Amino acid sequence: MSFLTGNNMTGGYGAADILHDCTIGVEKGEIAVVVGPNGAGKSTAMKALFGMLDLRQGEVLIGGENITSLTPQDRVTRGMGFVPQTSNVFTTMSVEENLEMGAFIRQDDIRGTMNQVYDLFPILKEKRRQPAGELSGGQRQQVAVGRALMTQPEVLMLDEPTAGVSPIVMDELFDRIIEIARTGIAVLMVEQNAKQALQIADKGYVLVQGANRYTDTGAALLANPDVRKAFLGG
Amino acid sequence: MSHTLRKILMFGLVAIGFIAVGQLQSWPLSLTILNLCLISAIMSLGVNIQWGYAGLLNVGVMGFAALGGLAGVLVSTQPVPAAWAAGGSGLGLAFLVALVTIGAICWCYFKLGPVVRTLPIIIIGLVGFFAYRYFFDPAVSAIEAVDPATSGNLGGLGMPIILSWLVGGLFAAAAAWAVGKVSLGLRSDYLAIATLGISEIIIAMLKNEDWLTRGVKNMSGLPRPVPYEVDIQKSEYFIKLAEDWGVSIIDLSSILVKLAYAGLFAAVLLILLWLCERALKSPWGRMMRAIRDNETAAEAMGKNVTGRHLQVFILGSAVIGIAGAMLTTLDGQFTPASYQPLRFTFLIWVMVIVGGSGNNWGAILGGFVIWFFWVEAEPVGLWLMDVITSGMADTSPLREHLLKSAAHMRPITMGVVLLLVLRFTPRGLLPETKR
Amino acid sequence: MNFLNAITLIGNYLFIPGLTYGCQLALGALGVTLIYAILRYSNFAHGETMAFGTMVTIFATWGLQKLGVSLGPLPTALIAMPVGILMTVVLCLVSDRVVYRYHRKQRSDPVIFLIASIGVMFLYNGLIRFVIGPDDQIFTDGERFIITAREFKTLTGLKEGLAFKTTQGITIVVTAVIVAALFWFLNKTRTGKSMRAYSDNEDLALLSGINPDRVVMVAWILTAALATIAGTLYGLDKSFKPFTYLQILLPIFAAAIVGGIGSPVGAIAGGFVIAFSEVAVTFAYRKFVSYLAPESWQPDGLLQLLSTDYKFAVSFSILVIVLLVRPTGIFRGRSI
């Protein structure tokens, strides 16, 4: 049993189910990556874990505690951080204000955490007075990740963090994500760039039509000829 | 309950209301309310075309109705030759200048580049404005000096007033075209605010441009499309009829005149309703509803959303203009100061929402029901206040104040009705039928 | 000398009235823009909210006057205003609870909110007329002028006078204080920042644990306070008549949209743009020109671009130009 687990999740937005008996988990200090073709339900699985979708069956556990019925806001207080794929920063607010808003639920001193985020993403410290909307795509993603880290989460969930950024920025972002995982945070992300993502993954899930197809370590999935042929382009 | 049954039941209740007023208060009063109900129903039909078919928010109903009223004056009153002689040519020149200026500005706007055009447009606009005023001001003073006590304006065409119903529709359509061109395609609230603005400006114009309609000096004694009571009272036939039926000739003549109006109005209402129902069931109506329900999808399917919206906005405003002209016809006078936004814009909105937006029958029902309540709210409110305060001494200042303020129960009632409908039956008394 | 006279004339009839009116519009537009930023609809009841706040302030003023309380040269309404603000806050919160909250939970279309606000407008409208009646009410007391035209003339020796009314001075000072406080609140406090965050990106604000109900509540409190202050200042400066508060809705909306709806800085800029254009376009320049032009050039007409009856046309024209040229407004508010 992993630190965060979604067991046998089944559900969707309306009458039709998108997820079918899908199980996803991530351990502290690990990076788990969910890959799969378009429409496989990757983002839906992520939303289900975060409570943005009602499950018909299955459960979500964090540290062994059942949180299936909690709202997303309550899950934030339970130590989950979520970075949506789009509109994930407050564009009219400065970088620093974005981080402050990330820590809105905290009553204690947040300066330490903010410095940690600045250490992780030095460029943000430089631009902390600038509105986030004026930053480049890669920098915006850094703000988005930094905002989610401000609650000091135990689990960080990222929905396609590298969508729309250049390969160099992508490598840089992945490096940072490895650093985040090393501090003991569980990182779960959905990725389109499957090959690169699996290279840094401790655990990989290949979803097809809302169900688990392959589950293994990142390296093993990369080595698996079936996975390579069907999902990684040879 | 089926839709037809519901329709019959609702209109049946309205009919009972009119009979009750006729029996309890008086028949001429009941018919007066009926006539205004018919006009309200047409206005509400116009708003329903815009809001119910297309989701357009017109908060300037008052302005379009007033333009219809203006048409009533311009079509029916006799021309004032002296005024034309005094200022007609000057006014003509002024309008020519205005036309040339607008043409030149449009030419600059479309033919020159986005940055280059700014300066010429401003210069042309300023020069044109002063040239216009150079001709306009003396012409207006000359016109207004002609017999100011009785006319002081150019007068109209001296044609039958019924013709103005059509002209009123055209006036309103023209104004709607201008407003729609500017504000359609932007946020829906912008249309609301733009129409609010244009209606205020139209009213300001009608109040102040004395050369046109005598402004706040009002135009009264407009010719009627139906006979006058005094003429009926002179007729041997009706005197005998009144004796036979045992009613006073005064009552009979008044009822007859009102019935004649009611017939004319009902005819217009039925024609418009028939056209609206046809339109709603046609492919055009289906397209309009598709656009209303999902603009993005309709646009993706190649429908020109802004173009359709402009079309429907003009049509709806024209219907409101027709109703405005009919109202002036019924009143026999044109009083710009009587146009109040609460009465002419927001009340019509309550009619549409309460009746059932998207359903023509609903809009008409709303027109009847709400106007009925609007008229009857005052006597009922007064009666209610009287009952509530009956325990107090006659000289009590609170009782006096409450009785005096009973009239303000009207907007309160309307507000409460609107909010209740929005919350509990958002689709109205006669909901839109799924086709 | 003539030049100084001309400047004084402009100051007296154009600059001071424009500045005062601009302050009143700016405060009104701030309320509209706040509701738009947080609840995302155009609040048609705002004019009546202003009237309600002013009405309560008037009653409180009369009460204080009866008790013999006064501020000396300043109008008593200034100390009565907190009562007005409090009652208006209650009114707004009750309206939100009874009317708007339901539609918020239903996630109704913004247009439905707008229509609901029309219903609320009706209700307030009737309520105000029911309580205080539709007539003019005068509640200004204290010193009328900071400097009268005659005092100015003897002081400077100019032919033109410059009158500065107490109410104008108060309007300007109060607006400056209120605007500074509002911006401090929005930019420096945690609650203020959370409101900006909610306005910027509602979903992300929820993910960050910002409580939407609290944000909405604070928005109503601020709006009620702004509306009462704007309404009272307007009533002190001109006079209180319920109908004028319905009419002022158009210039207020125009100001909010011209500045960029949803943007507080825009609302203030828009207020001054609308106010100064309105005053400048309806001002008769005859005397101004007669000071500057040589004797033989004296104009015959009033040299007035538009009569004051058409002041609505000015706000409307500016609104139309902005909608055509830059639909997002001067300070890039929300569009479409």
Side-chain angles (χ1 to χ4, degrees), chain B residues 114-129:
Chain B
V115 184
V116 196
R117 70 190 176 200
T118 315
L119 193 65
I121 285 181
I122 293 174
I123 293 174
I124 294 173
L126 282 177
V127 170
F129 180 76

PDB file of all heavy atoms in Angstrom, chain B residues 114-129:
ATOM      1  N   PRO B 114      -5.128  52.095 -39.953  1.00  0.00           N
ATOM      2  CA  PRO B 114      -5.624  52.235 -38.578  1.00  0.00           C
ATOM      3  C   PRO B 114      -5.042  53.416 -37.816  1.00  0.00           C
ATOM      4  O   PRO B 114      -5.713  53.980 -36.956  1.00  0.00           O
ATOM      5  CB  PRO B 114      -5.219  50.922 -37.896  1.00  0.00           C
ATOM      6  CG  PRO B 114      -4.744  50.020 -38.977  1.00  0.00           C
ATOM      7  CD  PRO B 114      -4.468  50.827 -40.194  1.00  0.00           C
ATOM      8  N   VAL B 115      -3.793  53.794 -38.083  1.00  0.00           N
ATOM      9  CA  VAL B 115      -3.191  54.884 -37.307  1.00  0.00           C
ATOM     10  C   VAL B 115      -3.388  56.208 -38.028  1.00  0.00           C
ATOM     11  O   VAL B 115      -3.727  57.222 -37.420  1.00  0.00           O
ATOM     12  CB  VAL B 115      -1.689  54.615 -37.069  1.00  0.00           C
ATOM     13  CG1 VAL B 115      -1.091  55.700 -36.185  1.00  0.00           C
ATOM     14  CG2 VAL B 115      -1.487  53.237 -36.456  1.00  0.00           C
ATOM     15  N   VAL B 116      -3.209  56.181 -39.368  1.00  0.00           N
ATOM     16  CA  VAL B 116      -3.293  57.413 -40.156  1.00  0.00           C
ATOM     17  C   VAL B 116      -4.663  58.050 -40.042  1.00  0.00           C
ATOM     18  O   VAL B 116      -4.795  59.265 -40.022  1.00  0.00           O
ATOM     19  CB  VAL B 116      -3.014  57.099 -41.652  1.00  0.00           C
ATOM     20  CG1 VAL B 116      -2.720  58.361 -42.419  1.00  0.00           C
ATOM     21  CG2 VAL B 116      -1.889  56.081 -41.785  1.00  0.00           C
ATOM     22  N   ARG B 117      -5.694  57.212 -39.904  1.00  0.00           N
ATOM     23  CA  ARG B 117      -7.054  57.730 -40.012  1.00  0.00           C
ATOM     24  C   ARG B 117      -7.490  58.553 -38.798  1.00  0.00           C
ATOM     25  O   ARG B 117      -8.399  59.361 -38.906  1.00  0.00           O
ATOM     26  CB  ARG B 117      -8.038  56.581 -40.236  1.00  0.00           C
ATOM     27  CG  ARG B 117      -8.211  55.682 -39.024  1.00  0.00           C
ATOM     28  CD  ARG B 117      -8.980  54.452 -39.397  1.00  0.00           C
ATOM     29  NE  ARG B 117      -9.057  53.536 -38.255  1.00  0.00           N
ATOM     30  CZ  ARG B 117      -9.323  52.251 -38.379  1.00  0.00           C
ATOM     31  NH1 ARG B 117      -9.505  51.724 -39.561  1.00  0.00           N
ATOM     32  NH2 ARG B 117      -9.402  51.479 -37.324  1.00  0.00           N
ATOM     33  N   THR B 118      -6.817  58.371 -37.660  1.00  0.00           N
ATOM     34  CA  THR B 118      -7.290  59.004 -36.429  1.00  0.00           C
ATOM     35  C   THR B 118      -7.410  60.523 -36.571  1.00  0.00           C
ATOM     36  O   THR B 118      -8.460  61.103 -36.288  1.00  0.00           O
ATOM     37  CB  THR B 118      -6.335  58.668 -35.271  1.00  0.00           C
ATOM     38  OG1 THR B 118      -6.034  57.289 -35.345  1.00  0.00           O
ATOM     39  CG2 THR B 118      -6.973  58.973 -33.940  1.00  0.00           C
ATOM     40  N   LEU B 119      -6.316  61.157 -37.046  1.00  0.00           N
ATOM     41  CA  LEU B 119      -6.300  62.617 -37.101  1.00  0.00           C
ATOM     42  C   LEU B 119      -7.343  63.159 -38.074  1.00  0.00           C
ATOM     43  O   LEU B 119      -8.150  64.020 -37.710  1.00  0.00           O
ATOM     44  CB  LEU B 119      -4.886  63.100 -37.445  1.00  0.00           C
ATOM     45  CG  LEU B 119      -4.682  64.589 -37.217  1.00  0.00           C
ATOM     46  CD1 LEU B 119      -4.800  64.917 -35.733  1.00  0.00           C
ATOM     47  CD2 LEU B 119      -3.335  65.042 -37.760  1.00  0.00           C
ATOM     48  N   PRO B 120      -7.363  62.649 -39.345  1.00  0.00           N
ATOM     49  CA  PRO B 120      -8.403  63.156 -40.257  1.00  0.00           C
ATOM     50  C   PRO B 120      -9.815  62.978 -39.707  1.00  0.00           C
ATOM     51  O   PRO B 120     -10.648  63.875 -39.843  1.00  0.00           O
ATOM     52  CB  PRO B 120      -8.208  62.330 -41.530  1.00  0.00           C
ATOM     53  CG  PRO B 120      -6.995  61.538 -41.360  1.00  0.00           C
ATOM     54  CD  PRO B 120      -6.434  61.753 -40.012  1.00  0.00           C
ATOM     55  N   ILE B 121     -10.068  61.858 -39.033  1.00  0.00           N
ATOM     56  CA  ILE B 121     -11.425  61.627 -38.509  1.00  0.00           C
ATOM     57  C   ILE B 121     -11.772  62.692 -37.485  1.00  0.00           C
ATOM     58  O   ILE B 121     -12.860  63.269 -37.512  1.00  0.00           O
ATOM     59  CB  ILE B 121     -11.526  60.207 -37.902  1.00  0.00           C
ATOM     60  CG1 ILE B 121     -11.592  59.174 -39.015  1.00  0.00           C
ATOM     61  CG2 ILE B 121     -12.764  60.099 -37.015  1.00  0.00           C
ATOM     62  CD1 ILE B 121     -11.716  57.754 -38.542  1.00  0.00           C
ATOM     63  N   ILE B 122     -10.820  62.986 -36.604  1.00  0.00           N
ATOM     64  CA  ILE B 122     -11.090  63.991 -35.566  1.00  0.00           C
ATOM     65  C   ILE B 122     -11.333  65.353 -36.205  1.00  0.00           C
ATOM     66  O   ILE B 122     -12.279  66.071 -35.868  1.00  0.00           O
ATOM     67  CB  ILE B 122      -9.922  64.042 -34.557  1.00  0.00           C
ATOM     68  CG1 ILE B 122      -9.881  62.726 -33.765  1.00  0.00           C
ATOM     69  CG2 ILE B 122     -10.068  65.223 -33.612  1.00  0.00           C
ATOM     70  CD1 ILE B 122      -8.695  62.601 -32.856  1.00  0.00           C
ATOM     71  N   ILE B 123     -10.476  65.714 -37.198  1.00  0.00           N
ATOM     72  CA  ILE B 123     -10.609  67.032 -37.833  1.00  0.00           C
ATOM     73  C   ILE B 123     -11.945  67.132 -38.564  1.00  0.00           C
ATOM     74  O   ILE B 123     -12.705  68.094 -38.381  1.00  0.00           O
ATOM     75  CB  ILE B 123      -9.434  67.286 -38.809  1.00  0.00           C
ATOM     76  CG1 ILE B 123      -8.147  67.418 -37.985  1.00  0.00           C
ATOM     77  CG2 ILE B 123      -9.691  68.534 -39.648  1.00  0.00           C
ATOM     78  CD1 ILE B 123      -6.908  67.519 -38.823  1.00  0.00           C
ATOM     79  N   ILE B 124     -12.255  66.113 -39.367  1.00  0.00           N
ATOM     80  CA  ILE B 124     -13.520  66.131 -40.105  1.00  0.00           C
ATOM     81  C   ILE B 124     -14.693  66.215 -39.144  1.00  0.00           C
ATOM     82  O   ILE B 124     -15.633  66.983 -39.342  1.00  0.00           O
ATOM     83  CB  ILE B 124     -13.643  64.872 -41.003  1.00  0.00           C
ATOM     84  CG1 ILE B 124     -12.579  64.917 -42.095  1.00  0.00           C
ATOM     85  CG2 ILE B 124     -15.030  64.791 -41.624  1.00  0.00           C
ATOM     86  CD1 ILE B 124     -12.511  63.650 -42.906  1.00  0.00           C
ATOM     87  N   GLY B 125     -14.604  65.449 -38.067  1.00  0.00           N
ATOM     88  CA  GLY B 125     -15.682  65.435 -37.089  1.00  0.00           C
ATOM     89  C   GLY B 125     -15.908  66.822 -36.502  1.00  0.00           C
ATOM     90  O   GLY B 125     -17.044  67.302 -36.435  1.00  0.00           O
ATOM     91  N   LEU B 126     -14.830  67.493 -36.107  1.00  0.00           N
ATOM     92  CA  LEU B 126     -14.951  68.809 -35.490  1.00  0.00           C
ATOM     93  C   LEU B 126     -15.481  69.834 -36.484  1.00  0.00           C
ATOM     94  O   LEU B 126     -16.432  70.572 -36.200  1.00  0.00           O
ATOM     95  CB  LEU B 126     -13.590  69.264 -34.944  1.00  0.00           C
ATOM     96  CG  LEU B 126     -13.185  68.623 -33.617  1.00  0.00           C
ATOM     97  CD1 LEU B 126     -11.809  69.088 -33.200  1.00  0.00           C
ATOM     98  CD2 LEU B 126     -14.207  68.986 -32.539  1.00  0.00           C
ATOM     99  N   VAL B 127     -14.882  69.863 -37.681  1.00  0.00           N
ATOM    100  CA  VAL B 127     -15.312  70.832 -38.692  1.00  0.00           C
ATOM    101  C   VAL B 127     -16.780  70.596 -39.032  1.00  0.00           C
ATOM    102  O   VAL B 127     -17.592  71.530 -39.075  1.00  0.00           O
ATOM    103  CB  VAL B 127     -14.430  70.717 -39.964  1.00  0.00           C
ATOM    104  CG1 VAL B 127     -15.023  71.537 -41.088  1.00  0.00           C
ATOM    105  CG2 VAL B 127     -13.005  71.140 -39.653  1.00  0.00           C
ATOM    106  N   GLY B 128     -17.116  69.319 -39.228  1.00  0.00           N
ATOM    107  CA  GLY B 128     -18.491  68.968 -39.573  1.00  0.00           C
ATOM    108  C   GLY B 128     -19.452  69.408 -38.489  1.00  0.00           C
ATOM    109  O   GLY B 128     -20.508  69.971 -38.776  1.00  0.00           O
ATOM    110  N   PHE B 129     -19.045  69.195 -37.215  1.00  0.00           N
ATOM    111  CA  PHE B 129     -19.926  69.536 -36.101  1.00  0.00           C
ATOM    112  C   PHE B 129     -20.216  71.036 -36.081  1.00  0.00           C
ATOM    113  O   PHE B 129     -21.370  71.461 -35.955  1.00  0.00           O
ATOM    114  CB  PHE B 129     -19.283  69.107 -34.782  1.00  0.00           C
ATOM    115  CG  PHE B 129     -20.113  69.423 -33.582  1.00  0.00           C
ATOM    116  CD1 PHE B 129     -21.212  68.644 -33.275  1.00  0.00           C
ATOM    117  CD2 PHE B 129     -19.818  70.508 -32.768  1.00  0.00           C
ATOM    118  CE1 PHE B 129     -21.994  68.943 -32.175  1.00  0.00           C
ATOM    119  CE2 PHE B 129     -20.596  70.807 -31.672  1.00  0.00           C
ATOM    120  CZ  PHE B 129     -21.687  70.013 -31.375  1.00  0.00           C
TER     121      PHE B 129
END
